[in-house]
Amino acid sequence: MTADPLDLPVDMPLDVPFGTALDVSVVVPTYNEAGNIHELLHRIGAAMASAGLSAEVIFADDSTDHTCEVIEDAAGSSPLPVVLHHRAEPTGGLGGAVVEGIGRSAAPWIVVIDADLQHPPELVPELLARGRSTGAELVVASRYAAGGSRSGLAGAYRTLVSGVSTAVTKSLFPRALRGLTDPMSGFFAIRREAVDRAATGEDGLQPLGYKILLELAVRCRPAGITEVPYAFGERHAGESKSTVREGLRFLRHLVTLRTADPRARVAVFGLIGLSGFVPNLALLWLLNGPGGMHYAPAEIIANQAGLLWNFLLVDSLLYRLRRSHRRRSVRLLTFAAVGNADLVARLPLAALFIAWGGLDPVPATAVSMVVVFAGRFLLVDRWLYRRRGARATSEPVRVETPLPDPRP
């Protein structure tokens, strides 16, 4: 059979024996991994058989090549039931694919594994055994735990990036990632109950990019985390998906997760506001230099440059997930109006603190700045970017009857 993957049904259960109790659902996100599929299914099947486990394999696919066709073909000889979910829109990157794959799973344990065979499928039974014996809800295959190895990372650059990313991530989430040596791992097992708690929470799961473990560990807050060391292997076929674009997505994801707490949002909002002084002062210097315009109009114009800088950072980083209900132009104009209003409010407020509160000018000015900043943050956070209820989550329906086999 020859077909464009985009012409295939969005969900295609392939030879699925429904009604069979499952121990584990193995979710495999794929993007142009055709050369790895047969070997991957063979090794997963052999590992499950040797451990006496019943499993299904769910491919959450964003491919633009013939990976879907290869999965369909490999499913015919696989001892395990296979579900193919091809996404027409790759929302959220690899993390989004994993979440959609989890939504189509049926077992009490979910294992996430890459398709490139750098994660050894033979370790899946050990991940489940460790979770069952310890009662932990999250079991991570770690390159950095004692006995593990990251030798499969290609070159010194990727090794450095991996190490720095791990250190930064652990420093930002010390409590959620306590005891976890490899928060950047893409190979882990998690109990369904933990995922369900996050999916039905206020924020839900909001994956971005390829570091889905970080999303699950921070939002699910699993009861107990343990690790199993492993050697990160060489890629079997295909090309690495680690790119500069994915790196930028990862940084945005870190900001989104860290600022889910209102206290953190206040701090980041303040830091962004301080950073706006750089373009403000730079433009003021240009406009008010020798032969330039008067200070007052120059300051008004320069202030708009600082506000524009602040808006771009606030809109793209701090409130990336809360901006869909207003057009960008409306958000910009409203943000600018609020920002200019606080200039007008500070002087009379300081005068009020001096006249009625008996404060000296310097502390009165400082207090007025704090009050105006708090009001500005509340207007932006609670009104301009107000939350519109819990994030909607789709509830996929499993097909109870396998589709007819499309192979001749």
Side-chain angles (χ1 to χ4, degrees):
M1 173 180 171
T2 302
D4 185 328
L6 299 181
D7 293 332
L8 291 172
V10 173
D11 284 292
M12 179 178 288
L14 305 170
D15 303 324
V16 184
F18 288 98
T20 302
L22 296 170
D23 295 305
V24 58
S25 296
V26 181
V27 176
V28 187
T30 50
Y31 177 73
N32 298 349
E33 298 284 1
N36 297 314
I37 300 302
H38 281 277
E39 179 68 12
L40 176 69
L41 276 177
H42 170 72
R43 288 175 60 179
I44 293 177
M48 296 301 102
S50 65
L53 296 171
S54 59
E56 64 176 352
V57 181
I58 301 170
F59 288 97
D61 182 71
D62 292 339
S63 297
T64 57
D65 66 355
H66 61 294
T67 297
C68 285
E69 181 184 347
V70 174
I71 293 171
E72 184 186 346
D73 177 69
S77 57
S78 172
L80 302 176
V82 175
V83 175
L84 169 60
H85 169 57
H86 179 77
R87 305 198 306 162
E89 294 292 335
T91 306
L94 181 146
V98 170
V99 170
E100 290 191 31
I102 289 174
R104 286 159 173 79
S105 64
W109 278 96
I110 299 154
V111 168
V112 176
I113 186 171
D114 286 351
D116 55 18
L117 294 169
Q118 290 185 292
H119 301 153
E122 295 75 16
L123 197 65
V124 171
E126 187 173 347
L127 295 178
L128 266 63
R130 180 66 61 86
R132 289 168 171 171
S133 65
T134 62
E137 289 189 329
L138 175 64
V139 187
V140 178
S142 173
R143 298 163 291 182
Y144 301 109
S149 168
R150 56 182 179 178
S151 58
L153 286 173
Y157 172 74
R158 282 197 66 193
T159 301
L160 175 64
V161 169
S162 176
V164 170
S165 300
T166 297
V168 169
T169 301
K170 293 188 68 175
S171 67
L172 287 175
F173 305 97
R175 286 192 297 174
L177 303 181
R178 184 183 295 116
L180 188 56
T181 63
D182 196 356
M184 314 303 289
S185 177
F187 187 18
F188 56 89
I190 188 167
R191 287 184 187 269
R192 175 172 302 282
E193 290 88 344
V195 178
D196 289 344
R197 282 199 302 272
T200 57
E202 182 183 6
D203 291 325
L205 292 172
Q206 302 170 355
L208 179 67
Y210 62 107
K211 297 305 179 185
I212 184 60
L213 173 60
L214 178 61
E215 173 79 13
L216 294 172
V218 172
R219 295 199 191 276
C220 296
R221 297 294 174 129
I225 299 176
T226 187
E227 293 182 324
V228 172
Y230 84 107
F232 187 69
E234 298 287 343
R235 168 174 274 275
H236 178 71
E239 299 179 351
S240 171
K241 309 305 184 295
S242 179
T243 62
V244 172
R245 181 180 180 183
E246 287 297 333
L248 294 175
R249 273 185 165 186
F250 169 64
L251 293 176
R252 289 172 63 195
H253 192 201
L254 282 179
V255 173
T256 299
L257 283 173
R258 184 61 277 177
T259 55
D261 186 326
R263 293 168 297 181
R265 283 203 302 278
V266 171
V268 174
F269 190 87
L271 290 173
I272 290 175
L274 288 175
S275 73
F277 282 111
V278 175
N280 186 321
L281 294 175
L283 186 56
L284 179 63
W285 178 77
L286 289 174
L287 295 176
N288 191 233
M293 64 175 61
H294 188 271
Y295 170 79
E299 169 57 23
I300 293 173
I301 295 173
N303 187 62
Q304 308 315 304
L307 286 174
L308 177 61
W309 170 270
N310 289 345
F311 170 77
L312 293 175
L313 292 180
V314 163
D315 196 69
S316 61
L317 292 177
L318 196 55
Y319 294 104
R320 178 181 62 85
L321 299 174
R322 293 199 196 178
R323 59 191 188 185
S324 60
H325 63 288
R326 297 185 193 273
R327 293 194 304 274
R328 187 179 181 88
S329 58
V330 173
R331 298 195 305 272
L332 173 57
L333 291 175
T334 306
F335 187 90
V338 172
N340 283 299
D342 71 13
L343 287 177
V344 178
R346 278 207 305 267
L347 289 178
L349 193 59
L352 186 66
F353 289 143
I354 293 171
W356 288 6
L359 297 179
D360 290 332
V362 172
T365 301
V367 172
S368 68
M369 291 178 68
V370 171
V371 172
V372 168
F373 170 80
R376 182 178 177 183
F377 172 77
L378 289 174
L379 280 172
V380 171
D381 188 74
R382 302 299 173 85
W383 180 63
L384 179 57
Y385 292 100
R386 67 185 181 274
R387 191 182 303 280
R388 301 297 290 268
R391 184 178 172 88
T393 56
S394 59
E395 293 293 338
V397 179
R398 291 181 63 85
V399 180
E400 295 298 332
T401 303
L403 298 178
D405 191 340
R407 294 181 298 278

